[in-house]
Amino acid sequence: MLQTCYAHTDHTDAQGPKAGRRFRTSQAVLAVGPVRSPAMGAGKVLAVWLVGVVVAAFIIAAQGSPSSSARRRYSFLEDDGLSRLHGHPHYDFVIKQSNYTRLCREKTILTVNGEFPGPTIYARKGDVVVVNVFNQGDKNITLHWHGVNQPRSPWWDGPEYITQCPIQPGSKFTYRIIFSEEEGTLWWHAHSPMDRATVHGAIVIRPRRGATYPFTKPHREIPIILGEWWNDDIGQVLADAVSTGSDFQPSDANTINGQPGDLFACSGEDAFRLPVKHGKTYMLRIINAALTNGFFFAVAGHRLTVVGSDASYTKPFVVDHVFIDSGQTVTVLLKARRGRSNARYFYMASRPLVTNPQATLDNSTATAVLEYTDARAAPADAARDLPGLPAINDSSAAAAFTARLRSLASKEHPADVPRHVDEHMLVTVAVNEIACARGEACKGPHGNRFASSLNNVSFETPRSDILGAYYRSAVGGVVRTDFPDNPPSPFNFTADDLPPELALTARDTRVKVLEYGTVLEVVLQGTTILGGDSHPMHLHGFSFYVVGRGIGNFDKRTDPAKYNLVDPPYQNTVSVPKNGWVAIRLRAENPGVWFMHCHFERHMVWGMETVFIVKNGKGPDAKIMPPPPNMPRC
């Protein structure tokens, strides 16, 4: 059974005694239109910021907490009626507990403004967006603007105890999201363990006013957020895994825009539905917000034209399905053509890729419905075919899709790939184990605890933020600055039978320090320790060029000759294939403290992470901006 999915638009009253009050209008179609906000050039944005940072921060901090908005099933938030502060788009995010029903059960989840998924942020390239966060929940929280470089402004990047202390219950904090080079699809999410399961939403960055897409403007643009749903409390799932050292309990369903779809009990009527008209072109902004899975995604009876990845345009190519790893975004165009069947309904579906058979993961298929509103009437339960999706263990299908990603490399969107490299790093990526302490009953491999590492360093998060310590020239009291450039003990990383002692690692807090302007090449090398796995590695503060990839062990003598230095994809999250490697290049021209980690949540909790500290350069435009006066305290 299908029912109409109403779209709601939130508006914010930003003036008078009721500042922050939110109210809604509804309509029975999912209307997504152009942003109506004035654009600001990058230079003007920077000038306004430099003059007004302290004044603006104090004004924002003085605002009262807004009234909580009513819960809604799902919406595409437009920029009509969006309030502004000093010319900047302005959002109020209220962290709160809300009741939601999935899979025949009601539970309380953490949300933003009572919405799951959360509200969409709309901006244009060069905008600065202000987001006031009011924590009315029952736990500490931070938010991260995934894929936004935040030039010279790491204070608003969001990972807890890396760039900030968390926002405590009853407190508030204002983020400034500085869109510089990004254009396309990104997303935001909580950056405290497991909370992003329900605290996340889309970011849509359109071209500067007066500029156009490098393709014909679509009829509408629709975020498609792939995620997961746990019947149990997500905080308890985390606590159980941490206390026992075991693997994490898998989710009970995968989701599309927060809904499992009608292959699940009590889910058919609420399945996400996208209304389309024959002959129109639709932009699907696909986001993988899942904690544990990469996904294949397809639409039955339709092919998809890939035009972007991670807020960067790509050379267009046509596919039957896409592969999108955790944390990544893929933007596609869908031409609405019913075909000879003249059917009204077509399934959209997502299915996970599972690369480690030893891991227990949710392998379910989530569905949504593409509905032709101009087709002949059909019963709500009319039969529909699922799209053809690769098998859950088809790593070759994922690799084949990823290999086709290329930067647009046009005059308007050039690929500025570094040719000369100043520093090289080879970083092994591994799931490990840590010896169980005497008297503990651990449920990980070999009676130990699960862990993970980069170059055999299992990162231990400090209890005070690294950025604040670095800015005060006291970073040595919080971290060690000697993260290794190479594995401490080289071995055959992808051998079938590795000795058990290679699985053991240890906790430490070690970071990598880079001089401003350094051109860095990092080869991320997968290993077969504990069976091996794929790893979506995300770097904050930067996008990078993915210049090479391969299966097996990286060979520094022969593999660089195969690099693509002409039009490699420009991404912020790269999928390291199981038993393989990827090579990325970047210019360290964004001073600050920047987190790098696997975007599989359990791997990050176990320690698959580190930090890059990029030192200040010589000029005023090459130095970290001062911190805002209202930074949360630990």
Side-chain angles (χ1 to χ4, degrees):
M1 295 292 292
L2 298 171
Q3 66 183 34
T4 302
C5 181
Y6 282 81
H8 306 284
T9 302
D10 277 25
H11 309 272
T12 305
D13 185 350
Q15 300 186 16
K18 296 182 179 180
R21 181 187 62 180
R22 299 183 70 83
F23 57 98
R24 303 188 301 161
T25 59
S26 303
Q27 54 188 139
V29 295
L30 299 176
V32 178
V35 167
R36 299 178 177 87
S37 61
M40 297 183 68
K44 185 176 180 181
V45 168
L46 184 58
V48 171
W49 160 235
L50 288 171
V51 173
V53 57
V54 176
V55 175
F58 272 114
I59 292 173
I60 296 164
Q63 293 184 6
S65 175
S67 302
S68 59
S69 61
R71 176 169 65 87
R72 61 186 177 178
R73 287 174 49 198
Y74 188 75
S75 68
F76 300 117
L77 184 64
E78 285 288 350
D79 195 19
D80 50 354
L82 184 67
S83 63
R84 291 179 168 269
L85 182 67
H86 302 295
H88 301 316
H90 167 207
Y91 291 81
D92 288 327
F93 277 15
V94 181
I95 308 295
K96 57 183 290 188
Q97 299 282 346
S98 304
N99 291 332
Y100 271 77
T101 299
R102 298 287 187 274
L103 307 180
C104 314
R105 298 173 56 179
E106 184 179 70
K107 63 176 284 193
T108 300
I109 63 173
L110 202 62
T111 66
V112 168
N113 298 347
E115 303 169 28
F116 169 63
T120 298
I121 291 175
Y122 285 89
R124 290 189 180 274
K125 184 176 182 178
D127 271 353
V128 176
V129 173
V130 175
V131 181
N132 298 318
V133 177
F134 302 85
N135 188 359
Q136 296 180 1
D138 60 353
K139 61 183 301 184
N140 292 342
I141 198 78
T142 67
L143 296 184
H144 169 56
W145 321 99
H146 186 111
V148 182
N149 291 347
Q150 297 285 58
R152 302 173 51 221
S153 305
W155 309 103
W156 295 284
D157 188 47
E160 69 172 1
Y161 300 114
I162 305 299
T163 60
Q164 70 168 97
C165 300
I167 308 167
Q168 299 176 17
S171 300
K172 58 191 176 184
F173 181 57
T174 296
Y175 290 93
R176 293 172 63 92
I177 314 172
I178 303 173
F179 296 103
S180 51
E181 65 177 5
E182 304 86 7
E183 184 176 328
T185 307
L186 292 175
W187 63 301
W188 59 267
H189 59 81
H191 217 300
S192 40
M194 302 295 282
D195 291 326
R196 70 178 174 89
T198 56
V199 180
H200 61 253
I203 300 176
V204 172
I205 313 121
R206 295 191 172 115
R208 298 182 191 274
R209 191 166 297 281
T212 62
Y213 293 120
F215 43 79
T216 302
K217 182 180 178 181
H219 179 61
R220 284 183 182 161
E221 306 175 22
I222 304 95
I224 301 292
I225 301 179
L226 310 181
E228 298 148 309
W229 178 264
W230 276 262
N231 283 330
D232 291 342
D233 178 77
I234 197 67
Q236 192 60 49
V237 171
L238 172 65
D240 290 345
V242 171
S243 65
T244 63
S246 63
D247 202 349
F248 284 69
Q249 172 190 327
S251 59
D252 295 282
N254 293 308
T255 59
I256 298 177
N257 285 346
Q259 294 287 350
D262 57 10
L263 300 183
F264 290 83
C266 307
S267 303
E269 291 187 354
D270 293 322
F272 173 75
R273 187 178 68 180
L274 173 62
V276 299
K277 291 184 178 180
H278 181 78
K280 301 290 187 182
T281 297
Y282 297 82
M283 180 188 288
L284 306 185
R285 296 181 176 273
I286 309 168
I287 299 163
N288 186 347
L291 273 65
T292 58
N293 289 325
F295 285 106
F296 296 108
F297 173 85
V299 181
H302 297 73
R303 304 198 78 195
L304 304 171
T305 302
V306 178
V307 294
S309 174
D310 285 4
S312 180
Y313 295 117
T314 62
K315 288 182 170 65
F317 61 97
V318 179
V319 294
D320 294 318
H321 64 265
V322 304
F323 172 73
I324 178 170
D325 218 337
S326 177
Q328 292 182 328
T329 71
V330 174
T331 303
V332 302
L333 301 178
L334 180 147
K335 184 75 171 180
R337 293 173 177 158
R338 291 190 296 271
R340 294 181 180 179
S341 67
N342 201 35
R344 185 179 181 91
Y345 302 117
F346 294 84
Y347 265 132
M348 296 184 279
S350 64
R351 173 186 296 162
L353 170 68
V354 179
T355 56
N356 186 351
Q358 298 182 27
T360 304
L361 298 173
D362 177 6
N363 62 4
S364 64
T365 299
T367 60
V369 177
L370 187 79
E371 179 188 1
Y372 280 86
T373 57
D374 54 350
R376 58 180 173 79
D381 58 353
R384 297 180 292 274
D385 293 327
L386 286 171
L389 288 169
I392 62 170
N393 61 350
D394 194 346
S395 297
S396 61
F401 173 84
T402 302
R404 298 185 68 182
L405 292 172
R406 293 285 187 271
S407 288
L408 190 57
S410 65
K411 180 180 179 180
E412 295 78 14
H413 303 279
D416 184 17
V417 187
R419 297 301 181 103
H420 171 77
V421 175
D422 300 311
E423 289 196 39
H424 293 264
M425 296 179 70
L426 175 66
V427 179
T428 51
V429 183
V431 174
N432 306 87
E433 53 191 271
I434 288 179
C436 190
R438 181 174 298 179
E440 286 188 327
C442 299
K443 297 182 179 179
H446 309 111
N448 290 321
R449 288 180 166 275
F450 268 109
S452 61
S453 68
L454 299 176
N455 274 349
N456 207 36
V457 178
S458 185
F459 191 84
E460 185 164 22
T461 305
R463 302 311 298 172
S464 60
D465 65 304
I466 298 173
L467 173 60
Y470 173 68
Y471 193 78
R472 298 188 304 271
S473 300
V475 72
V478 178
V479 301
R480 292 173 55 183
T481 57
D482 60 348
F483 181 86
D485 288 343
N486 293 282
S489 300
F491 58 95
N492 185 355
F493 308 119
T494 56
D496 291 332
D497 297 308
L498 294 176
E501 57 268 21
L502 284 176
L504 291 172
T505 187
R507 291 282 194 176
D508 206 344
T509 308
R510 300 170 71 178
V511 305
K512 170 71 175 178
V513 178
L514 293 167
E515 295 293 332
Y516 182 88
T518 298
V519 174
L520 177 67
E521 178 177 303
V522 182
V523 175
L524 296 161
Q525 173 69 61
T527 74
T528 51
I529 295 174
L530 297 184
D533 209 342
S534 61
H535 301 283
M537 298 299 298
H538 172 51
L539 177 59
H540 294 218
F542 295 89
S543 289
F544 45 75
Y545 289 101
V546 184
V547 296
R549 64 176 64 241
I551 298 299
N553 297 331
F554 175 74
D555 190 327
K556 65 180 181 181
R557 297 168 300 175
T558 59
D559 284 326
K562 307 170 190 174
Y563 283 176
N564 175 9
L565 300 179
V566 177
D567 60 353
Y570 193 54
Q571 298 181 291
N572 61 67
T573 306
V574 63
S575 184
V576 182
K578 178 180 179 177
N579 301 344
W581 58 271
V582 295
I584 66 173
R585 284 188 185 180
L586 60 91
R587 291 183 178 89
E589 295 177 344
N590 190 9
V593 171
W594 306 109
F595 203 27
M596 184 175 77
H597 61 93
C598 181
H599 225 266
F600 287 155
E601 195 77 358
R602 67 194 194 283
H603 293 175
M604 188 179 75
V605 170
W606 291 338
M608 192 177 289
E609 53 203 346
T610 190
V611 168
F612 287 104
I613 296 179
V614 179
K615 297 167 69 173
N616 283 334
K618 294 182 179 180
D621 293 337
K623 299 182 185 299
I624 300 175
M625 292 183 185
N630 61 338
M631 288 296 295
R633 296 176 181 271
C634 292

